[in-house]
Amino acid sequence: MQVDVLNIEGKKTGRTIELPEEIFGVEPNDHVIYLSVKQYLAAQRQGTHKVQTRAEVQGASRKLHKQKGTGGSRKGNIRNPLYKGGGTIFGPKPRDYSFKLNRKVKDLAKMSALAYKAKENAIVILEDLAIETPKTKTFTGVLKALNIAGKKTLFVLPDNGENAYLSLRNIPTVEGTLLSDMNTYDIVNAQVLILSESAAKVFTEADVEENA
């Protein structure tokens, strides 16, 4: 698919980039997207939740009163879960929520997410930003020129886009990521995907290498 390269004023530069159909034109697979997003979110969980069992709370271990003859119910020690300050029954324990996905499944999920963005015409290719000094106001102006200010945006940078990243990181609706770090969750979570021209060319170069 042919996509026009826009400048920082939102106008066409006259250049276009051919995004490979093998990536942006695949039939999206919803289930692998679900698995990839689930894996990403699961990996974010710390899993440090912990409660104290009756073996861990403070309190004497003596039996409160004799078993029979009191007219009351049977009672063990004060750490019984039924008492205030007693242990917790079947409470959460520290655990690791992460799980493994095969590389091919993750790659298919990422391609499916990109294909959805292509179908929705939600992909913008922006010429490389020559930002000498990081400044949020500069990038805010770019978003206004592209008519996407206020929309949840994922801006994919080449490996050398440090000043651009520093310019956008304080904008609450914009998430910046390197092309090598782009994941399915970030793509799905964004309304608009902005690819820098250098980042977009990587897809084309990769496609040429595969067909060579």
Side-chain angles (χ1 to χ4, degrees):
M1 57 178 290
Q2 290 278 355
V3 182
D4 292 308
V5 179
L6 305 181
N7 59 23
I8 59 174
E9 297 176 351
K11 298 178 181 178
K12 296 180 180 180
T13 60
R15 302 189 300 277
T16 61
I17 286 184
E18 178 73 26
L19 296 178
E21 289 291 327
E22 292 78 6
I23 297 176
F24 293 85
V26 300
E27 183 63 31
N29 187 317
D30 292 338
H31 186 61
V32 295
I33 291 177
Y34 158 75
L35 291 176
S36 184
V37 170
K38 182 180 178 181
Q39 184 203 35
Y40 176 84
L41 294 177
Q44 307 308 304
R45 301 183 67 175
Q46 291 184 325
T48 55
H49 38 39
K50 174 71 172 67
V51 296
Q52 289 184 311
T53 65
R54 65 183 300 167
E56 297 168 322
V57 296
Q58 290 186 339
S61 59
R62 68 177 179 84
K63 188 172 174 63
L64 292 176
H65 58 70
K66 64 181 183 178
Q67 182 84 344
K68 296 179 179 296
T70 63
S73 61
R74 298 169 290 182
K75 296 181 178 66
N77 60 47
I78 197 66
R79 294 176 294 178
N80 190 311
L82 300 179
Y83 295 136
K84 180 180 179 181
T88 300
I89 308 172
F90 304 129
K93 297 180 180 179
R95 57 166 291 191
D96 181 10
Y97 284 93
S98 63
F99 60 92
K100 181 181 180 298
L101 273 186
N102 291 335
R103 171 57 59 185
K104 288 185 177 180
V105 173
K106 296 174 74 171
D107 289 344
L108 178 58
K110 193 180 297 184
M111 288 190 293
S112 297
L114 291 171
Y116 268 125
K117 285 292 179 283
K119 284 186 176 183
E120 297 165 0
N121 293 320
I123 297 178
V124 175
I125 297 181
L126 185 68
E127 66 178 0
D128 293 338
L129 300 177
I131 300 178
E132 297 180 359
T133 304
K135 196 170 185 180
T136 302
K137 186 176 181 180
T138 301
F139 201 81
T140 302
V142 173
L143 295 178
K144 289 180 179 178
L146 296 173
N147 294 320
I148 57 175
K151 291 185 178 181
K152 294 176 74 173
T153 303
L154 177 64
F155 187 46
V156 182
L157 298 156
D159 292 337
N160 58 354
E162 182 178 357
N163 283 343
Y165 175 76
L166 293 175
S167 299
L168 62 84
R169 65 179 179 177
N170 287 331
I171 305 175
T173 58
V174 179
E175 181 72 27
T177 183
L178 295 177
L179 181 61
S180 56
D181 295 334
M182 184 174 63
N183 60 71
T184 304
Y185 174 80
D186 288 338
I187 299 170
V188 172
N189 192 44
Q191 293 175 280
V192 179
L193 175 65
I194 300 180
L195 296 172
S196 67
E197 190 172 1
S198 296
K201 286 180 179 178
V202 173
F203 288 105
T204 305
E205 292 168 359
D207 184 51
V208 170
E209 291 175 2
E210 289 180 2
N211 295 329

Short mmCIF file of all heavy atoms in Angstrom, two decimals, residues 5 23 26 30 32 42 51 58 70 75 80-81 105 122-123 130 132 149 153 161 167 170 177 179 182 193 199 203 212:
data_model
loop_
_atom_site.label_atom_id
_atom_site.label_comp_id
_atom_site.label_asym_id
_atom_site.label_seq_id
_atom_site.Cartn_x
_atom_site.Cartn_y
_atom_site.Cartn_z
N VAL A 5 4.22 10.66 2.31
CA VAL A 5 5.05 11.17 3.40
C VAL A 5 4.67 12.62 3.63
O VAL A 5 4.68 13.44 2.70
CB VAL A 5 6.55 11.06 3.04
CG1 VAL A 5 7.41 11.63 4.18
CG2 VAL A 5 6.93 9.61 2.77
N ILE A 23 2.94 -7.48 5.47
CA ILE A 23 2.84 -7.06 6.87
C ILE A 23 1.54 -6.31 7.11
O ILE A 23 0.76 -6.64 8.01
CB ILE A 23 4.05 -6.18 7.26
CG1 ILE A 23 5.35 -6.99 7.15
CG2 ILE A 23 3.88 -5.64 8.68
CD1 ILE A 23 6.59 -6.18 7.42
N VAL A 26 -2.11 -8.31 5.76
CA VAL A 26 -2.51 -9.66 6.15
C VAL A 26 -3.93 -9.66 6.71
O VAL A 26 -4.46 -8.61 7.10
CB VAL A 26 -1.54 -10.24 7.21
CG1 VAL A 26 -0.13 -10.31 6.68
CG2 VAL A 26 -1.60 -9.44 8.51
N ASP A 30 -7.66 -12.04 15.36
CA ASP A 30 -8.03 -11.44 16.64
C ASP A 30 -7.50 -12.23 17.83
O ASP A 30 -7.16 -11.64 18.86
CB ASP A 30 -9.55 -11.31 16.75
CG ASP A 30 -10.12 -10.28 15.77
OD1 ASP A 30 -9.34 -9.41 15.34
OD2 ASP A 30 -11.31 -10.35 15.45
N VAL A 32 -4.74 -14.08 18.23
CA VAL A 32 -3.32 -13.90 18.56
C VAL A 32 -3.08 -12.48 19.10
O VAL A 32 -2.19 -12.29 19.93
CB VAL A 32 -2.40 -14.18 17.34
CG1 VAL A 32 -2.48 -15.62 16.94
CG2 VAL A 32 -2.71 -13.27 16.18
N ALA A 42 0.10 -9.12 31.49
CA ALA A 42 0.46 -10.03 32.57
C ALA A 42 1.90 -9.78 33.03
O ALA A 42 2.20 -9.86 34.23
CB ALA A 42 0.30 -11.47 32.11
N VAL A 51 -0.67 -12.15 51.86
CA VAL A 51 -1.40 -12.05 53.13
C VAL A 51 -0.75 -13.00 54.13
O VAL A 51 0.02 -13.89 53.76
CB VAL A 51 -2.89 -12.41 52.96
CG1 VAL A 51 -3.59 -11.43 52.04
CG2 VAL A 51 -3.04 -13.84 52.44
N GLN A 58 0.54 -12.82 64.60
CA GLN A 58 0.93 -12.88 66.01
C GLN A 58 -0.23 -13.40 66.85
O GLN A 58 -1.39 -13.19 66.53
CB GLN A 58 1.35 -11.49 66.50
CG GLN A 58 2.68 -11.01 65.90
CD GLN A 58 3.12 -9.71 66.52
OE1 GLN A 58 2.32 -8.98 67.07
NE2 GLN A 58 4.41 -9.42 66.42
N THR A 70 -18.08 -26.24 78.46
CA THR A 70 -18.27 -24.79 78.63
C THR A 70 -19.62 -24.32 78.12
O THR A 70 -20.06 -23.21 78.42
CB THR A 70 -17.17 -24.01 77.88
OG1 THR A 70 -17.30 -24.28 76.47
CG2 THR A 70 -15.79 -24.44 78.33
N LYS A 75 -13.04 -24.18 70.36
CA LYS A 75 -12.13 -23.12 69.91
C LYS A 75 -10.69 -23.59 70.01
O LYS A 75 -10.31 -24.25 70.97
CB LYS A 75 -12.31 -21.85 70.74
CG LYS A 75 -13.67 -21.19 70.61
CD LYS A 75 -13.75 -19.94 71.46
CE LYS A 75 -15.08 -19.26 71.31
NZ LYS A 75 -16.19 -20.09 71.85
N ASN A 80 -7.02 -18.15 64.86
CA ASN A 80 -8.06 -18.72 64.01
C ASN A 80 -8.55 -17.67 63.01
O ASN A 80 -8.77 -16.52 63.38
CB ASN A 80 -9.22 -19.18 64.90
CG ASN A 80 -10.24 -19.99 64.14
OD1 ASN A 80 -10.71 -19.60 63.09
ND2 ASN A 80 -10.61 -21.13 64.70
N PRO A 81 -8.70 -18.01 61.74
CA PRO A 81 -9.16 -17.05 60.73
C PRO A 81 -10.52 -16.41 61.05
O PRO A 81 -10.85 -15.36 60.51
CB PRO A 81 -9.24 -17.88 59.45
CG PRO A 81 -8.28 -18.99 59.67
CD PRO A 81 -8.35 -19.30 61.13
N VAL A 105 3.86 -16.44 16.88
CA VAL A 105 2.55 -15.95 17.35
C VAL A 105 2.64 -14.45 17.63
O VAL A 105 1.76 -13.68 17.23
CB VAL A 105 2.11 -16.72 18.62
CG1 VAL A 105 0.84 -16.09 19.20
CG2 VAL A 105 1.86 -18.18 18.29
N ALA A 122 -5.36 4.69 9.64
CA ALA A 122 -4.88 5.35 10.85
C ALA A 122 -3.36 5.34 10.93
O ALA A 122 -2.78 5.44 12.01
CB ALA A 122 -5.47 4.66 12.09
N ILE A 123 -2.71 5.21 9.76
CA ILE A 123 -1.24 5.24 9.71
C ILE A 123 -0.79 6.52 9.02
O ILE A 123 -1.25 6.84 7.93
CB ILE A 123 -0.68 4.01 8.97
CG1 ILE A 123 -1.04 2.72 9.72
CG2 ILE A 123 0.83 4.12 8.82
CD1 ILE A 123 -0.55 1.47 9.03
N ALA A 130 13.94 17.04 12.40
CA ALA A 130 15.27 17.55 12.71
C ALA A 130 15.16 18.48 13.91
O ALA A 130 15.13 19.71 13.77
CB ALA A 130 15.86 18.28 11.50
N GLU A 132 16.81 19.99 17.03
CA GLU A 132 18.12 20.17 17.64
C GLU A 132 18.03 20.24 19.15
O GLU A 132 18.91 19.75 19.86
CB GLU A 132 18.78 21.44 17.09
CG GLU A 132 19.04 21.38 15.58
CD GLU A 132 19.68 22.64 15.07
OE1 GLU A 132 19.91 23.56 15.89
OE2 GLU A 132 19.96 22.72 13.85
N ALA A 149 -4.38 16.11 17.21
CA ALA A 149 -4.17 16.56 18.59
C ALA A 149 -5.31 16.05 19.47
O ALA A 149 -6.48 16.11 19.11
CB ALA A 149 -4.12 18.09 18.64
N THR A 153 -1.97 8.57 20.43
CA THR A 153 -1.06 8.42 19.29
C THR A 153 0.18 7.63 19.69
O THR A 153 0.75 7.85 20.77
CB THR A 153 -0.63 9.81 18.77
OG1 THR A 153 -1.79 10.57 18.42
CG2 THR A 153 0.27 9.68 17.56
N GLY A 161 16.28 8.78 17.38
CA GLY A 161 15.31 9.87 17.56
C GLY A 161 15.19 10.37 18.98
O GLY A 161 14.09 10.58 19.49
N SER A 167 10.87 15.42 23.17
CA SER A 167 9.89 16.46 22.87
C SER A 167 8.46 15.99 23.07
O SER A 167 7.56 16.79 23.32
CB SER A 167 10.07 16.95 21.43
OG SER A 167 11.35 17.51 21.23
N ASN A 170 6.19 14.37 27.33
CA ASN A 170 5.33 15.07 28.30
C ASN A 170 3.91 15.29 27.78
O ASN A 170 3.09 15.88 28.48
CB ASN A 170 5.95 16.42 28.67
CG ASN A 170 7.15 16.26 29.58
OD1 ASN A 170 7.25 15.31 30.33
ND2 ASN A 170 8.08 17.21 29.48
N THR A 177 7.97 5.34 20.97
CA THR A 177 8.68 4.07 21.10
C THR A 177 9.65 3.91 19.94
O THR A 177 9.43 4.44 18.84
CB THR A 177 7.69 2.88 21.13
OG1 THR A 177 8.42 1.67 21.32
CG2 THR A 177 6.91 2.78 19.83
N LEU A 179 11.39 1.67 17.03
CA LEU A 179 10.85 0.64 16.15
C LEU A 179 11.14 -0.76 16.70
O LEU A 179 10.29 -1.65 16.64
CB LEU A 179 11.44 0.79 14.75
CG LEU A 179 10.97 -0.19 13.69
CD1 LEU A 179 9.47 -0.07 13.47
CD2 LEU A 179 11.71 0.02 12.39
N MET A 182 8.58 -1.64 19.53
CA MET A 182 7.14 -1.57 19.26
C MET A 182 6.49 -2.91 19.56
O MET A 182 6.98 -3.96 19.15
CB MET A 182 6.91 -1.17 17.80
CG MET A 182 5.45 -0.98 17.43
SD MET A 182 5.25 -0.34 15.74
CE MET A 182 5.97 -1.69 14.79
N LEU A 193 -1.31 5.74 14.39
CA LEU A 193 0.07 5.27 14.39
C LEU A 193 0.88 6.18 13.47
O LEU A 193 0.59 6.28 12.28
CB LEU A 193 0.13 3.82 13.89
CG LEU A 193 1.52 3.20 13.71
CD1 LEU A 193 2.24 3.08 15.04
CD2 LEU A 193 1.41 1.84 13.03
N ALA A 199 11.76 5.04 10.00
CA ALA A 199 11.19 3.82 10.56
C ALA A 199 10.37 3.08 9.52
O ALA A 199 10.41 1.84 9.43
CB ALA A 199 10.34 4.15 11.78
N PHE A 203 10.59 -1.24 7.14
CA PHE A 203 9.64 -2.27 6.71
C PHE A 203 9.89 -2.62 5.24
O PHE A 203 9.88 -3.78 4.85
CB PHE A 203 8.20 -1.80 6.89
CG PHE A 203 7.76 -1.73 8.31
CD1 PHE A 203 7.63 -0.52 8.97
CD2 PHE A 203 7.47 -2.89 9.03
CE1 PHE A 203 7.22 -0.46 10.29
CE2 PHE A 203 7.05 -2.85 10.34
CZ PHE A 203 6.93 -1.62 10.97
N ALA A 212 14.75 -11.23 -1.73
CA ALA A 212 16.01 -11.31 -2.48
C ALA A 212 16.48 -12.77 -2.60
O ALA A 212 16.21 -13.58 -1.74
CB ALA A 212 17.08 -10.47 -1.79
#
